[in-house]
């Protein structure tokens, strides 16, 4: 009888995630996460976007549930490829030395993937360079275990970066003052650095304790004259919508590009689907329409939504067709977003209203039927199962014959989870963006009416009218009815609001912090 084979040993990668912003994850780290069989990490406070790089079948273990060294060694010994995640950089204020030594002692191959350290990243996001033309030295102190010899850091010509001092701010200040640093020495403390919850307080050694009371961890302290650069170099916390929690009530596919734009303004978008898009109950009608489109039955095809573009595109793929089937046809789009979806498909629309991007706007620029110029008078209108009678009536008056075809159905989405509903009604959101009248009706129907401190932003007059009918105060309206313009209008509103608070000498507070009982910085 032959001896049982042992599993080949796996490997271990000690990987740094960086200080908090998922965008700071290195390419090597993302690659190893994608290959990992097992990931060991402290899951509390870990942004789920980091784990989005993992395979769906990867085993995710919480380092808080057991000794992480044992979890790592056991998985690697079983032949699994393991990623051990550390916040920041594995070799800076982390447990790499002990855990790496355990792997070495067990004969397990490992590698170290440095992460962007909080030592440099957090000051960078706070707008504080650690060196300038006068200060050339940086000294890093891990104060988590206490017992720091502050006399060693008394020299005023070095920038101090202090980690792990959240619960000992008083000891830091007293220690440095006792060691000879002047009470007026500039100090900055940043909590939750590189995330959209980042908060920086600029103070002095003398005022540091009262000025930073209530700040959350993890926090980092910077001591030295370089703190004075923050007034000119603060770029992250001064974004127009920094830290605003913004509700995006659309389908998930439609919300993606809007959410990306909001993140660029510093906001935290929360996507809540209000409608679900489903195939038509009887697809034969769209099948016949697509065949007629290919065989020359139509002069025009009108797309009134990105969902209509998607439905026709999927039907094309089903039949083995592509954008070339539109050759010889004239194509109209109701607005910029729909036009962009067509261009992505490979179709450049011939007609897009420049002003009012709606069915009425399309009718204003639509040419009347001319039998001498138009060989065919038929228009294909693939749409939702919601009637578009006004557009059809207008085209008919202009002499066109419409084939009104159901391309997809819209149904009200399921209610969001209870915490989201409570945040909507309780003022937990700073703003909500309404991109149509239906998003107003559906959101209120599935989740309730937004709190009166929440900024209401709408895409156009009709949506504003619907919002007001439901008792909402409209604060922002896009200057043109497009989704990017709506996000831009909200950013402009946020920037003006922030500037007014600064000019008045008021503390910077988000709309959600204006409600009764909201947490305030002391």
């Amino acid at each position: 009888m032959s001896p049982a084979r042992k599993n080949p040993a796996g490997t271990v990668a000690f990987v740094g995630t960086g200080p908090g912003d998922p965008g700071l994850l290195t390419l090597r780290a993302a690659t190893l996460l994608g290959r990992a069989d097992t990931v060991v990490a402290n899951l509390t406070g870990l942004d789920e976007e980091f784990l989005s790089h993992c395979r769906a079948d990867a085993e995710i273990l919480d380092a808080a549930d057991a000794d992480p060294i044992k979890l790592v060694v056991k998985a690697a010994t079983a032949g699994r490829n393991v990623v051990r995640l550390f916040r920041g950089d594995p070799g800076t204020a982390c447990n790499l030395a002990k855990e790496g030594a355990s792997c070495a002692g067990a004969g397990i191959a490992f590698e170290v993937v440095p992460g962007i350290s909080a030592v440099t990243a957090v000051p960078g996001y706070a707008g504080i360079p650690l060196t300038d033309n006068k200060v050339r030295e940086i000294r890093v102190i891990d104060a988590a275990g206490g017992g720091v010899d502050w006399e060693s850091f008394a020299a005023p010509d070095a920038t101090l970066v202090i980690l792990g001092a959240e619960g000992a701010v008083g000891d830091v200040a007293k220690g440095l003052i006792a060691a000879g640093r002047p009470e007026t020495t500039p100090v900055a403390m940043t909590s939750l650095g590189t995330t959209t919850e980042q908060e920086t307080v600029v103070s002095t050694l003398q005022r540091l304790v009262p000025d930073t009371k209530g700040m959350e961890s993890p926090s980092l302290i910077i001591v030295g004259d370089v703190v004075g650069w923050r007034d000119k170099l603060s770029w992250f916390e001064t974004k127009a919508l920094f830290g605003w929690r913004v509700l995006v009530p659309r389908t998930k596919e439609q919300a993606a590009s809007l959410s990306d734009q909001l993140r660029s303004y510093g906001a935290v978008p929360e996507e809540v689907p209000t409608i679900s898009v489903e195939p038509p109950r009887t697809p034969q009608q769209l099948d016949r329409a697509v065949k007629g489109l290919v065989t020359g039955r139509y002069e025009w095809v009108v797309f009134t939504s990105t969902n209509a573009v998607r439905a026709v595109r999927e039907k094309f793929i089903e039949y083995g067709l592509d954008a070339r089937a539109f050759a010889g046809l004239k194509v109209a789009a109701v607005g910029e977003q729909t036009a962009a979806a067509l261009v992505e498909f490979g179709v450049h629309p011939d007609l897009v209203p420049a002003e009012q991007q709606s069915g009425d706007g399309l009718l204003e620029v639509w040419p009347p039927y001319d039998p001498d110029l138009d060989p065919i008078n038929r228009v294909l209108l693939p749409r939702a199962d919601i009637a578009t009678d006004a557009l059809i009536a207008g085209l008919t008056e202009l002499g066109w014959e419409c084939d009104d075809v159901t391309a997809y159905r819209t149904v009200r989405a399921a209610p969001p989870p209870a915490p989201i509903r409570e945040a909507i009604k309780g003022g937990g959101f700073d703003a909500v963006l309404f991109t149509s009248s239906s998003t107003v009706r559906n959101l209120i129907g599935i989740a309730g009416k937004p709190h009166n401190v929440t900024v209401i932003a709408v895409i156009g007059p009709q949506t504003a009218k619907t919002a007001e009918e439901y008792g909402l105060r409209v604060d922002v309206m896009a200057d043109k009815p497009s989704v990017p313009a709506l996000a831009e209008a909200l950013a402009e509103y946020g920037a003006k609001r922030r500037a007014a608070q600064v000019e008045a000498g008021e503390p910077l507070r988000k709309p959600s912090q204006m409600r009764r009982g909201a947490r305030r910085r002391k």
Side-chain angles (χ1 to χ4, degrees), residues 1-17:
M1 185 173 178
S2 61
R5 290 184 178 179
K6 290 185 178 181
N7 287 329
T11 62
V12 175
F14 295 102
V15 174
T17 63

Side-chain angles (χ1 to χ4, degrees), residues 49-128:
E49 194 171 332
F50 288 113
L51 298 179
S52 69
H53 297 279
C54 300
R55 303 195 316 262
D57 63 342
E59 178 185 37
I60 311 297
L61 301 178
D62 193 344
D65 292 340
D67 183 348
I69 296 175
K70 292 181 179 178
L71 294 175
V72 167
V73 171
K74 180 180 179 182
T77 303
R80 300 176 71 80
N81 292 319
V82 183
V83 166
R84 169 68 168 112
L85 282 183
F86 289 105
R87 185 183 180 93
D89 175 68
T92 308
C94 291
N95 206 27
L96 172 63
K98 185 176 180 181
E99 296 189 27
S102 296
C103 285
I108 298 169
F110 66 90
E111 70 170 290
V112 177
V113 180
I116 295 177
S117 173
V119 170
T120 54
V122 173
Y125 271 56
I128 301 173

Side-chain angles (χ1 to χ4, degrees), residues 275 304 381-389 392 404-411 438 441-442:
I275 62 169
T304 57
L381 182 62
R383 60 166 178 88
D385 53 343
I386 301 171
T388 52
D389 295 340
I392 296 168
D404 188 19
V405 174
T406 300
Y408 62 95
R409 291 184 300 126
T410 58
V411 297
S438 62
R441 290 189 291 266
N442 289 337

Side-chain angles (χ1 to χ4, degrees), residues 229-498:
W229 285 104
R230 176 172 160 81
D231 286 343
K232 293 181 179 179
L233 300 183
S234 180
W235 63 274
F236 187 53
E237 292 171 62
T238 54
K239 287 189 173 186
L241 299 176
F242 180 76
W244 282 38
R245 190 181 180 195
V246 179
L247 184 67
V248 183
R250 310 189 77 200
T251 64
K252 198 163 186 66
E253 295 81 4
Q254 292 172 325
S257 61
L258 175 55
S259 292
D260 287 343
Q261 187 178 358
L262 289 170
R263 287 189 191 96
S264 74
Y265 301 133
V268 184
E270 187 96 43
E271 297 170 3
V272 176
T274 57
I275 62 169
S276 177
V277 178
E278 299 180 1
R281 288 191 176 89
T282 54
Q284 295 83 359
Q285 190 182 27
L286 183 58
D287 290 339
R288 289 193 296 269
V290 169
K291 290 176 183 177
L293 184 151
V294 175
T295 56
R297 175 178 171 82
Y298 301 105
E299 179 78 5
W300 282 91
V301 182
V302 184
F303 290 96
T304 57
S305 71
T306 56
N307 287 324
V309 176
R310 187 177 298 109
V312 171
R313 186 173 183 173
E314 289 172 355
K315 189 62 66 173
F316 268 41
I317 293 171
E318 183 181 324
Y319 282 115
L321 300 171
D322 57 29
R324 289 174 292 183
F326 283 93
L329 278 164
K330 295 174 184 175
V331 179
V334 76
E336 292 176 1
Q337 294 296 110
T338 305
L342 283 166
V343 170
E344 186 182 345
F345 185 15
V347 179
H348 291 266
D350 302 279
L351 185 65
V352 183
E355 298 297 331
Q356 186 180 356
Q357 298 191 358
S358 64
D360 291 340
L362 197 57
L363 287 172
E364 289 179 4
V365 296
W366 194 278
Y369 171 67
D370 186 333
D372 295 326
L373 298 176
D374 302 306
I376 305 169
N377 77 331
R378 192 173 294 274
V379 176
L380 173 61
L381 182 62
R383 60 166 178 88
D385 53 343
I386 301 171
T388 52
D389 295 340
L391 179 57
I392 296 168
L395 292 173
T396 303
E397 286 183 13
L398 290 170
W400 297 94
E401 187 174 338
C402 295
D403 277 3
D404 188 19
V405 174
T406 300
Y408 62 95
R409 291 184 300 126
T410 58
V411 297
R412 181 176 285 181
I420 298 295
R421 298 198 304 272
E422 291 165 7
I424 291 171
K425 292 182 284 189
F429 284 97
D430 296 290
V432 57
L433 298 185
F434 288 118
T435 54
S436 67
S437 292
S438 62
T439 58
V440 178
R441 290 189 291 266
N442 289 337
L443 180 71
I444 292 175
I446 65 174
K449 196 165 88 170
H451 193 280
N452 60 12
V453 300
T454 307
V455 173
I456 305 297
V458 300
I459 200 166
Q462 186 57 50
T463 307
K465 181 181 178 183
T466 304
E468 289 165 352
E469 288 173 353
Y470 278 87
L472 298 178
R473 177 200 67 253
V474 174
D475 302 291
V476 179
M477 186 165 67
D479 57 3
K480 60 179 180 179
S482 75
V483 171
L486 174 58
E488 186 177 346
L490 179 63
E492 290 175 359
Y493 176 90
K496 290 178 181 176
R497 186 179 186 278
R498 187 181 192 281

